[in-house]
């Protein structure tokens, strides 16, 4: 896969993100998800696909992780629908377009809802905007629908961002396929009399932060550590912390081998440790495990007057309390 060169100017990488995600067909995502549900269950049962941990350059890093991040966006969209599986009618709110501007395939409608119905919508929420009311129990699709991202509020109105210049194929933003549903949206956005149906799909705030962080790797002073995974082998015998045996047993029983490797690296005497992984690999759980180990242990040695000295152990929490904290994490 070839990743296009995108300069990290202000909003540069986000333009790419918006064009790809906002061009997706919501109903196609749901259809593909249903067809591949069996394969996904098999993949989950057999474990996560292994991802390499060393990269030739920044492009190689992005080519590895960007597709995984977009799959995470799709999973969030589909999961939001799965949580509403009990009803065939989406929660839809009526709005009108007060004004609309456009630039480079993007359209920026400013919408107003009835009464206070727009109060539950926040910045970076992903909406589905449609000309007709959507009934998930009916096979016929609406003639005009598209994703819209909430940019910010303008008083009682919301400014949205939409990309209506065709559906992006894969991750090549220059390869787009025109579609009638997007053309129909574009033709009606300037009609002040038209009523629109808006449905909140999910929030993209977290995934947007992850995307920006991923694309910023080229500007990081320690990018070579990330790309080359220099000195990645964790030496458990060189741990900087004395961890109670039962606590370590509890940590080992709640993490897989790759997570334990990351925890051991974090507990080592290395001055810098980076924990990275694609969505769904348990980074948060790993960090919580690492923090639990540090908070309930003591440093093995400390530097005092240029000499390393063993530290005396302080009072410990009862093992029952430590296990409670572990499971809360």
């Amino acid at each position: 896969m070839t990743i296009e060169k995108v300069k990290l100017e202000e909003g540069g990488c986000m333009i790419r993100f918006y064009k790809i995600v906002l061009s997706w067909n919501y109903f196609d995502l749901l259809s593909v998800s249903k067809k591949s549900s069996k394969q996904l269950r098999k993949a989950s049962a057999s474990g996560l696909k292994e991802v390499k941990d060393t990269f030739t350059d920044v492009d190689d890093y992005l080519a590895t992780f960007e597709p995984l991040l977009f799959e995470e966006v799709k999973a969030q969209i589909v999961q939001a629908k799965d949580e509403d599986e009990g009803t065939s009618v989406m929660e839809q709110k009526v709005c009108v377009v007060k004004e609309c501007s456009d630039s480079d395939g993007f359209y920026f409608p400013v919408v107003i809802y009835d009464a206070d119905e727009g109060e539950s919508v926040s910045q970076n929420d992903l909406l589905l905007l449609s000309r007709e009311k959507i009934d998930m129990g009916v096979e016929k699709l609406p003639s005009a629908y598209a994703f819209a991202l909430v940019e910010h509020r303008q008083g009682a109105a919301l400014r949205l961002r939409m990309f209506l210049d065709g559906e992006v194929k894969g991750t090549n933003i220059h390869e787009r396929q025109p579609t009638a549903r997007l053309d129909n949206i574009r033709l009606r956005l300037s009609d002040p009399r038209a009523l629109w149906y808006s449905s909140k799909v999910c929030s993209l705030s977290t995934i947007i932060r992850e995307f920006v962080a991923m694309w910023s790797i080229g500007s990081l002073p320690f990018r070579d550590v990330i790309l080359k995974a220099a000195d990645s082998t964790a030496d458990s015998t060189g741990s900087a912390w004395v961890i109670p045996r039962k606590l370590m047993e509890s940590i080992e029983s709640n993490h897989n081998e790759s997570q334990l490797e990351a925890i051991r690296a974090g507990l080592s005497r290395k001055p810098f440790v980076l924990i990275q992984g694609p969505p769904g690999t348990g980074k948060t759980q790993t960090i919580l495990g690492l923090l639990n180990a540090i908070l309930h242990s003591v440093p093995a040695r400390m530097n005092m007057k240029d000499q390393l000295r063993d530290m005396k152990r302080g009072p410990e929490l009862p093992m029952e309390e430590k296990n409670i904290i572990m499971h809360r994490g």
Side-chain angles (χ1 to χ4, degrees):
M1 170 187 163
T2 301
I3 292 291
E4 302 154 10
K5 300 286 186 180
V6 179
K7 294 182 179 179
L8 281 175
E9 299 171 351
E10 183 179 359
C13 66
M14 289 313 304
I15 294 299
R16 173 180 175 79
F17 179 88
Y18 295 143
K19 286 185 176 182
I20 293 173
V21 173
L22 296 180
S23 77
W24 287 343
N25 186 323
Y26 176 66
F27 295 100
D28 281 354
L29 295 181
L30 298 183
S31 177
V32 170
S33 174
K34 288 181 179 179
K35 290 179 181 178
S36 60
S37 59
K38 291 184 179 180
Q39 290 87 337
L40 288 174
R41 283 195 292 269
K42 288 181 180 179
S44 298
S46 60
L48 293 166
K49 181 180 178 181
E50 185 174 349
V51 177
K52 61 183 181 180
D53 57 5
T54 58
F55 310 91
T56 56
D57 51 27
V58 170
D59 282 349
D60 186 28
Y61 179 90
L62 294 174
T64 300
F65 286 105
E66 189 186 59
L68 295 173
L69 189 141
F70 281 124
E71 288 302 314
E72 176 69 7
V73 180
K74 293 178 182 178
Q76 285 191 22
I77 293 171
V78 173
Q79 181 181 3
K81 172 61 179 66
D82 290 342
E83 292 173 354
D84 295 331
E85 198 63 47
T87 176
S88 62
V89 180
M90 301 178 68
E91 182 181 355
Q92 299 166 82
K93 299 177 180 180
V94 178
C95 62
V96 294
V97 176
K98 178 183 177 183
E99 60 185 69
C100 184
S101 58
D102 65 277
S103 175
D104 190 27
F106 286 108
Y107 285 74
F108 303 93
V110 177
V111 301
I112 300 176
Y113 289 86
D114 288 342
D116 298 327
E117 289 192 340
E119 292 298 320
S120 61
V121 181
S122 305
Q123 184 180 17
N124 291 331
D125 279 351
L126 184 67
L127 310 180
L128 182 65
L129 203 64
S130 173
R131 278 288 293 118
E132 300 99 351
K133 195 166 187 177
I134 298 173
D135 187 344
M136 301 301 290
V138 178
E139 291 187 4
K140 183 180 179 181
L141 298 179
S143 61
Y145 61 93
F147 283 132
L149 191 74
V150 179
E151 289 211 317
H152 56 77
R153 288 191 173 276
Q154 292 183 352
L158 291 174
R159 175 184 161 97
L160 310 180
R161 176 190 288 266
M162 307 178 75
F163 185 68
L164 305 176
D165 197 19
E167 293 182 13
V168 175
K169 294 302 176 182
T171 56
N172 185 350
I173 60 175
H174 301 298
E175 185 180 343
R176 301 192 290 268
Q177 178 178 333
T179 62
R181 67 178 181 89
L182 298 181
D183 292 340
N184 292 337
I185 287 264
R186 188 168 55 246
L187 291 173
R188 299 300 299 274
L189 275 179
S190 59
D191 185 355
R193 299 166 298 176
L195 296 180
W196 296 87
Y197 292 91
S198 166
S199 305
K200 179 178 175 178
V201 179
C202 63
S203 172
L204 295 183
S205 290
T206 299
I207 207 76
I208 285 174
R209 288 195 295 268
E210 291 179 5
F211 191 83
V212 172
M214 179 186 68
W215 272 93
S216 68
I217 182 175
S219 62
L220 298 178
F222 46 83
R223 65 178 178 272
D224 289 340
V225 177
I226 300 175
L227 297 177
K228 304 302 180 184
D231 194 24
S232 61
T233 303
D235 182 6
S236 59
T237 62
S239 176
W241 298 86
V242 175
I243 305 171
R245 180 177 56 82
K246 289 186 178 181
L247 176 58
M248 196 61 204
E249 289 175 355
S250 179
I251 292 174
E252 290 174 348
S253 66
N254 285 281
H255 298 82
N256 61 36
E257 188 54 41
S258 64
Q259 292 168 345
L260 288 173
E261 182 181 356
I263 290 174
R264 294 187 189 106
L267 295 172
S268 70
R269 296 189 178 94
K270 297 176 182 177
F272 177 87
V273 173
L274 173 72
I275 298 175
Q276 66 176 5
T281 52
K283 294 184 295 296
T284 301
Q285 181 180 351
T286 300
I287 293 171
L288 288 174
L290 176 59
L291 290 176
N292 274 317
I294 292 174
L295 291 174
H296 302 130
S297 306
V298 294
R301 296 184 294 177
M302 66 176 292
N303 194 326
M304 182 176 291
K305 294 183 179 180
D306 299 326
Q307 291 183 348
L308 290 174
R309 293 182 50 186
D310 290 335
M311 287 191 65
K312 294 183 179 180
R313 299 181 59 81
E316 295 184 16
L317 288 174
M319 196 61 216
E320 294 77 9
E321 292 187 28
K322 293 180 181 180
N323 282 328
I324 291 174
I325 294 173
M326 277 287 297
H327 290 300
R328 282 178 180 172

